[in-house]
Amino acid sequence: SCVVTMDAAKSITATFRTLRVSIDLSVKVQDNGPIQSGAMVTLEVTITNTGEMTTTVDQLQTSFAALAAASGRAPNAVAASCVTPISLAVAEVHQCTLVLQVTGQGGQSLQVQVAAIGSSATGVAANATNSTTIQLETPTNDDEENEQSLNRTLFLPLVTR
């Protein structure tokens, strides 16, 4: 921005200030209740333009080793409503979801980190990173017995005509 002033001696002073470019990112698990290994987990992603000019988020990335293969434009996400680019006016808030498949041992805590990478129209970088933790449920003895009884190989005769 620019402020122009003139004093009593008719001297003109122009003061330039660089506009601040920044975004804020929050991530939270939407799913309530116990989460087991292999489950699909929905993450709610909220991106807010906290700067003083329009900003575009060009990429959303997740860094989580135990995720299924990428699809669409959100790496490591099985499904996503977070489609880039996302253009945000000053103070605009954008919400979207990432659906991830989690795998791990019962009782394990898995950290999911999400990064928003973008810039202003003038090319100034605007990046934000945040994370959330997913706690995998520890199976009960009943769960383990049911899983063992379901994990049996059946040999069925093949009948052809």
Side-chain angles (χ1 to χ4, degrees), residues 27-80:
V27 180
K28 72 176 188 175
V29 177
Q30 263 187 351
D31 304 306
N32 293 323
I35 298 172
Q36 296 183 349
S37 180
M40 304 303 279
V41 176
T42 302
L43 300 179
E44 182 179 297
V45 177
T46 304
I47 307 165
T48 306
N49 183 350
T50 55
E52 300 172 315
M53 62 188 315
T54 298
T55 302
T56 300
V57 175
D58 298 308
Q59 296 178 44
L60 278 175
Q61 299 177 341
T62 62
S63 58
F64 183 46
L67 298 179
S71 77
R73 293 185 178 185
N76 298 329
V78 175

Side-chain angles (χ1 to χ4, degrees), residues 60-117:
L60 278 175
Q61 299 177 341
T62 62
S63 58
F64 183 46
L67 298 179
S71 77
R73 293 185 178 185
N76 298 329
V78 175
S81 71
C82 296
V83 178
T84 56
I86 302 166
S87 181
L88 299 167
V90 174
E92 185 175 354
V93 177
H94 177 81
Q95 287 188 320
C96 57
T97 58
L98 295 174
V99 180
L100 312 171
Q101 184 174 27
V102 295
T103 58
Q105 299 297 319
Q108 183 179 6
S109 293
L110 306 172
Q111 183 154 1
V112 180
Q113 186 175 31
V114 178
I117 301 165

Side-chain angles (χ1 to χ4, degrees), residues 94-160:
H94 177 81
Q95 287 188 320
C96 57
T97 58
L98 295 174
V99 180
L100 312 171
Q101 184 174 27
V102 295
T103 58
Q105 299 297 319
Q108 183 179 6
S109 293
L110 306 172
Q111 183 154 1
V112 180
Q113 186 175 31
V114 178
I117 301 165
S119 61
S120 69
T122 59
V124 178
N127 303 325
T129 303
N130 206 329
S131 62
T132 189
T133 301
I134 298 170
Q135 182 70 39
L136 294 181
E137 177 184 48
T138 302
T140 63
N141 286 339
D142 290 341
D143 291 339
E144 289 173 4
E145 288 171 13
N146 289 338
E147 188 174 311
Q148 288 174 3
S149 67
L150 292 174
N151 288 334
R152 304 211 188 275
T153 303
L154 298 175
F155 295 98
L156 301 173
L158 178 63
V159 178
T160 60

